[in-house]
């Protein structure tokens, strides 16, 4: 059985990391155009670097929650891939070994000269003047709005091969990532774990109207038992 978890900010909400579009979401406080686009970085790099430094500090203080742990533990029973929109490393810290970050990783930086040149950020901040080995300014290893999503094809291939797709904690409002949920095979089971209604519709979808730390362990138990319909 191949299981793909497609996760969004909601899976990390109970670890204390803010989501984007809930009432206290990040986009209630910041304008995307000022902190999360290549134009913003060109116009005011220090502001953008400060925004991601704050995100990074919060990620370093956060801990995986029961949802991350249950997803990781399921690897003992099935082939599990995590396709996440999240830039935190909580899936990895919980023990997941196959995690694909569609929108980048907050604990890495990359060269503004060569996007393939990615360096780890050992928790430090990223400042103007921090240069890559080629001598160009380092930037957050994040996919900003308007930028290509390099791992989209790899993610689609995983979803197309899934027997089970579980969409966890995503409002499915950001494309092309959100489009992945439509790539699941017709026979695949599709579960949504989210306390609210989300964009995924269709009779075959089972919606667990739960927080991730409650709903995911329940879903994982069902999948482990093989009783999932
Ligand atoms: N458990 C499960 N789901 C939750 C929880 C929780 N405890 N709390 C909130 N949610 C759900 C919300 O109901 C919502 O559906 O998580 C979802 C969060 O949606 P968004 O804030 O839009 O986050 P996400 O879908 O991950 O955003 C996608 O947008 O801003 C960009 O690049 C950013 O990766 C991000 C992308």
């Amino acid at each position: 059985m191949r299981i793909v978890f497609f996760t969004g900010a909601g899976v990390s909400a109970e670890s204390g990391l803010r989501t984007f579009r809930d009432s206290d979401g990040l986009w209630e406080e910041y304008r995307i155009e000022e902190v999360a686009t290549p134009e913003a970085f060109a116009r005011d790099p220090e502001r953008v670097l400060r925004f991601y430094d704050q995100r990074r500090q919060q990620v370093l203080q956060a801990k995986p929650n029961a949802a991350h742990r249950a997803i990781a533990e399921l690897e003992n029973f099935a082939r599990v891939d995590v396709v996440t929109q999240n830039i935190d490393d909580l899936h990895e810290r919980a023990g997941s070994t196959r995690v694909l970050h569609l929108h980048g990783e907050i604990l890495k930086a990359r060269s503004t000269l060569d996007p393939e040149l990615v360096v780890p950020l050992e928790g430090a901040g990223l400042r103007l003047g921090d240069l890559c080995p080629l001598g160009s300014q380092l930037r957050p290893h994040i996919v900003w709005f308007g930028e290509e999503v390099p791992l989209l094809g790899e993610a689609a291939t995983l979803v197309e091969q899934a027997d089970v797709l579980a969409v966890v904690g995503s409002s499915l409002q950001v494309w092309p990532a959100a489009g992945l949920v439509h790539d699941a095979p017709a026979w695949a089971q599709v579960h949504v774990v989210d306390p609210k209604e989300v964009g995924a519709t269709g009779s075959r979808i089972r919606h667990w109207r739960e927080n991730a730390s409650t709903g995911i362990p329940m879903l994982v138990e069902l999948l482990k038992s093989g009783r999932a319909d």
Side-chain angles (χ1 to χ4, degrees):
M1 178 188 278
R2 294 187 61 135
I3 304 168
V4 173
F5 284 87
F6 178 79
T7 67
V11 79
S12 299
E14 290 158 279
S15 296
L17 296 181
R18 293 166 72 180
T19 64
F20 295 96
R21 294 172 186 82
D22 285 316
S23 50
D24 60 344
L26 280 167
W27 300 146
E28 294 298 310
E29 185 181 343
Y30 297 91
R31 287 171 46 76
I32 288 172
E33 301 73 28
E34 291 171 356
V35 292
T37 65
E39 296 76 13
F41 186 63
R43 185 172 57 246
D44 188 350
E46 286 179 320
R47 177 170 193 168
V48 172
L49 293 176
R50 262 198 319 277
F51 174 74
Y52 286 99
D53 276 2
Q54 289 163 1
R55 308 279 69 72
R56 191 173 304 108
Q57 290 316 313
Q58 285 157 14
V59 166
L60 291 170
Q61 287 154 21
K63 291 192 176 26
N65 63 55
H68 299 105
R69 291 195 297 272
I71 291 171
E73 194 246 341
L74 189 56
E75 288 192 8
N76 300 318
F77 298 89
R79 159 76 193 247
V80 178
D81 287 277
V82 177
V83 173
T84 186
Q85 299 170 94
N86 300 339
I87 58 177
D88 63 57
D89 64 337
L90 296 178
H91 282 300
E92 290 91 338
R93 278 198 265 151
S96 287
T97 60
R98 278 189 293 274
V99 183
L100 188 154
H101 286 271
L102 283 172
H103 294 159
E105 299 176 67
I106 192 76
L107 297 182
K108 293 179 181 171
R110 71 165 183 256
S111 162
T112 45
L113 201 60
D114 172 5
E116 301 296 316
L117 193 51
V118 176
V119 298
L121 278 175
E122 305 305 342
L126 191 52
R127 296 277 177 280
L128 273 187
D130 290 347
L131 305 182
C132 79
L134 301 176
S136 81
Q137 175 67 42
L138 283 170
R139 58 162 276 183
H141 184 46
I142 301 287
V143 176
W144 284 327
F145 284 86
E147 293 188 315
E148 287 294 306
V149 180
L151 296 179
L152 190 68
E154 192 178 328
T157 302
L158 289 172
V159 174
E160 285 158 6
Q161 294 170 352
D163 300 302
V164 178
L165 173 67
V167 178
V168 188
S170 178
S171 63
L172 297 178
Q173 289 180 28
V174 171
W175 293 73
L180 283 171
V181 298
H182 303 295
D183 291 341
W187 61 84
Q189 290 176 46
V190 181
H191 299 266
V192 170
V193 180
D194 195 307
K196 290 189 206 134
E197 279 304 324
V198 292
T201 54
S203 56
R204 65 173 173 164
I205 290 175
R206 176 167 175 180
H207 186 174
W208 305 65
R209 291 196 71 129
E210 304 278 353
N211 283 334
S213 67
T214 310
I216 292 296
M218 291 160 67
L219 171 58
V220 162
E221 282 314 306
L222 189 73
L223 293 173
K224 276 163 53 177
S225 71
R227 283 200 323 272
D229 50 3

